[in-house]
């Protein structure tokens, strides 16, 4: 699937016959509260570059005999759910991809990060936005280190969302 879903219509008078290829910006979403910060940074970077956005949903390792989860499955849509309203407001073209965490834990500290980078490069990404406090092996520091060893793509770290109490405590009785 190499098409992008656009939330906006093309500009009137835009030259459609000569389209310059723009490399997508990838946002790594791991079904955490920090996904909103990752999407905000990715939208800002994609808008500045005039590039589409690739949403990579991080999923757990599939059972040994199960098939791969496709980007349009219910599990992947649940992970991407926090990002879609923000993309609709921004009007950025996007597509989704699924990354399955490796089932084997003994593959080394950088194994999951290298596999994530392979997924991004497979989809033509030149820039990844990853949460600083991402899941083990997929945090920004580990992914940056793997990108340096691998030789790319660039990795941008998104700061985690500051914690705030959801409600004031009940007064004592």
């Amino acid at each position: 699937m190499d098409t992008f879903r656009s939330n906006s219509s093309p500009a009137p008078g835009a030259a459609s016959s000569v389209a310059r290829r723009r490399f997508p910006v990838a946002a790594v979403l791991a079904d955490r509260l920090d996904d909103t910060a990752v999407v905000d940074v990715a939208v800002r970077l994609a808008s500045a570059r005039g590039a589409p956005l690739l949403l990579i949903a991080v999923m757990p390792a599939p059972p040994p005999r199960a098939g791969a989860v496709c980007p349009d499955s219910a599990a992947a849509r649940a992970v991407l759910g926090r990002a879609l309203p923000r993309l609709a407001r921004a009007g950025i073209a996007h597509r989704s991809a699924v990354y399955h965490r490796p089932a084997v834990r003994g593959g080394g500290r950088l194994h999951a990060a290298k596999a994530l980078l392979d997924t991004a490069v497979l989809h033509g990404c030149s820039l990844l936005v990853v949460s600083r406090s991402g899941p083990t092996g997929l945090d920004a520091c580990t992914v940056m280190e793997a990108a340096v060893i691998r030789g790319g793509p660039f990795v941008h770290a998104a700061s985690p969302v500051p914690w705030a109490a959801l409600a004031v405590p009940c007064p004592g009785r």
Side-chain angles (χ1 to χ4, degrees):
M1 180 171 94
D2 200 23
T3 60
F4 283 93
R5 290 178 219 139
S6 178
N7 291 330
S8 63
S9 59
S16 60
S17 61
V18 181
R20 187 176 79 158
R21 179 179 162 103
R22 294 194 171 102
F23 297 102
V25 173
V28 179
L29 307 176
D31 199 19
R32 300 166 56 103
L33 289 177
D34 294 341
D35 288 352
T36 56
V38 170
V39 170
D40 289 341
V41 171
V43 164
R44 197 170 57 244
L45 291 171
S47 294
R49 293 173 169 233
L53 195 60
L54 176 69
L55 302 172
I56 300 176
V58 176
M59 305 296 290
R65 294 185 196 121
V69 175
C70 69
D72 292 331
S73 70
R77 284 194 314 260
V79 173
L80 302 174
R82 286 189 186 106
L84 296 179
R86 294 174 186 277
L87 295 178
R89 284 192 299 266
I92 290 187
H94 67 281
R95 68 177 165 179
S96 57
V98 173
Y99 165 72
H100 291 282
R101 294 190 69 153
V104 180
R105 297 276 183 213
R109 189 175 68 79
L110 299 172
H111 180 69
K114 286 180 181 178
L116 176 66
L117 291 172
D118 290 340
T119 301
V121 169
L122 177 69
H123 291 281
C125 292
S126 60
L127 176 65
L128 265 82
V129 180
V130 183
S131 174
R132 286 187 196 275
S133 63
T136 305
L138 297 177
D139 59 299
C141 292
T142 307
V143 176
M144 282 182 192
E145 187 176 346
V148 168
I149 292 170
R150 189 181 186 282
F154 295 110
V155 178
H156 185 87
S159 297
V161 176
W163 183 84
L166 297 176
V168 295
C170 296
R173 294 183 192 203

